[in-house]
């Protein structure tokens, strides 16, 4: 959302995670929350019913190995009113004449999936095979997984789908990548503890995912379930 103020995360003098608000026009920073209606958090899970406003930005990723890349390219070209042939999306984003469509290097939060998530898929029960569990990450926890770092190889499955065929099956040692909202003011000296603290602050559902008791509550599992589900 485009608003006058942007909420950012920073490390204060006590080496604790803190929230500040930055005015986009003046770079003024303050700890107090701005007036209602002048600041808003990014919408991490837009729906079909999400209303777009003037000067909003839409951030999206494209799985170049998927069939949807051409569909996304066609949609972008249609929205930008492009009639000439377009090749690779990155070339279009780097075109200086297309100032409303840019390419940027994203940053990610990273956390390792708990052992009780191994063998489950990211999607719903209908996306899982008979011997698999379903995490329902989007609906149950409000988390969009941008990538999975495979514990066995270190390779990344980008923009995984809901089921195993689309790369959404969790294996031992796998870690999740969650897109970090673009920051107007960043700190390059973050460490892993800062990263996780910011991820927990930005995604309340993540804390429940990492706590087995709350994890079971979110998924409606009974208390007799063991750590392997």
């Amino acid at each position: 959302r485009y608003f006058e103020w942007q909420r950012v995360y920073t490390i204060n003098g006590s080496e604790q995670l803190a929230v500040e608000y930055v005015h986009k026009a003046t770079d003024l920073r303050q700890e107090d929350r701005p007036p209602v209606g002048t600041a808003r958090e990014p919408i991490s899970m837009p729906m079909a019913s999400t209303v777009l406003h003037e000067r909003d930005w839409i951030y999206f990723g494209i799985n170049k190995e998927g069939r949807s890349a051409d569909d996304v390219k066609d949609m972008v070209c249609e929205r930008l009113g492009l009639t000439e042939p377009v090749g690779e999306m990155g070339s279009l984003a780097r075109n200086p004449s297309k100032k409303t469509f840019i390419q940027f290097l994203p940053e990610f939060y990273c956390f390792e999936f708990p052992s009780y998530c191994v063998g489950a898929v990211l999607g719903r029960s209908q996306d899982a095979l008979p011997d698999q569990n379903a995490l329902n990450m989007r609906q149950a926890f409000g988390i969009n997984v941008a990538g999975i770092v495979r514990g066995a190889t270190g390779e990344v499955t980008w923009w995984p789908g809901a089921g195993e065929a689309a790369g959404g099956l969790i294996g031992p040692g796998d870690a999740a990548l969650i897109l970090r909202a673009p920051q107007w003011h960043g700190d390059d000296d973050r460490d892993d503890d800062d990263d996780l603290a910011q991820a927990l602050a930005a995604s309340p559902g993540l804390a429940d995912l990492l706590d087995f008791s709350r994890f079971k509550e979110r998924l409606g599992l009974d208390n007799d379930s063991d750590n392997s589900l």
Side-chain angles (χ1 to χ4, degrees), residues 47-106:
M47 311 295 290
S49 59
T50 301
V51 177
L52 297 176
H53 300 281
E54 185 178 4
R55 303 179 75 179
D56 283 353
W57 282 87
I58 300 174
Y59 295 89
F60 62 91
I62 300 175
N63 186 344
K64 295 183 178 180
E65 298 178 354
R67 298 174 58 185
S68 62
D70 288 338
D71 295 334
V72 174
K73 182 175 67 176
D74 292 342
M75 181 273 293
V76 170
C77 292
E78 178 186 350
R79 295 294 186 270
L80 295 179
L82 302 179
T83 57
E84 67 272 19
V86 174
E88 199 263 332
M89 289 286 286
S91 299
L92 176 62
R94 291 188 292 271
N95 189 327
S97 67
K98 308 303 177 187
K99 296 182 179 180
T100 58
F101 183 57
I102 62 174
Q103 188 176 40
F104 75 103
L105 295 176

Side-chain angles (χ1 to χ4, degrees), residues 107-172:
E107 294 183 343
F108 299 94
Y109 300 120
C110 181
F111 68 90
E112 184 173 338
F113 282 102
S115 59
Y116 47 81
C117 293
V118 174
V121 297
L122 297 177
R124 301 164 296 175
S125 57
Q126 54 263 49
D127 301 309
L129 298 177
D131 60 340
Q132 297 173 344
N133 296 306
L135 298 177
N136 199 8
M137 291 286 283
R138 283 175 57 88
Q139 294 185 9
F141 297 96
I143 298 174
N144 282 320
V145 177
I148 300 176
V149 183
R150 300 301 178 182
T153 64
E155 296 181 352
V156 179
T157 300
W158 289 110
W159 315 115
E164 179 177 4
L169 179 65
I170 307 304

Side-chain angles (χ1 to χ4, degrees), residues 164-179:
E164 179 177 4
L169 179 65
I170 307 304
D174 285 358
L177 297 175
I178 303 176
L179 186 64

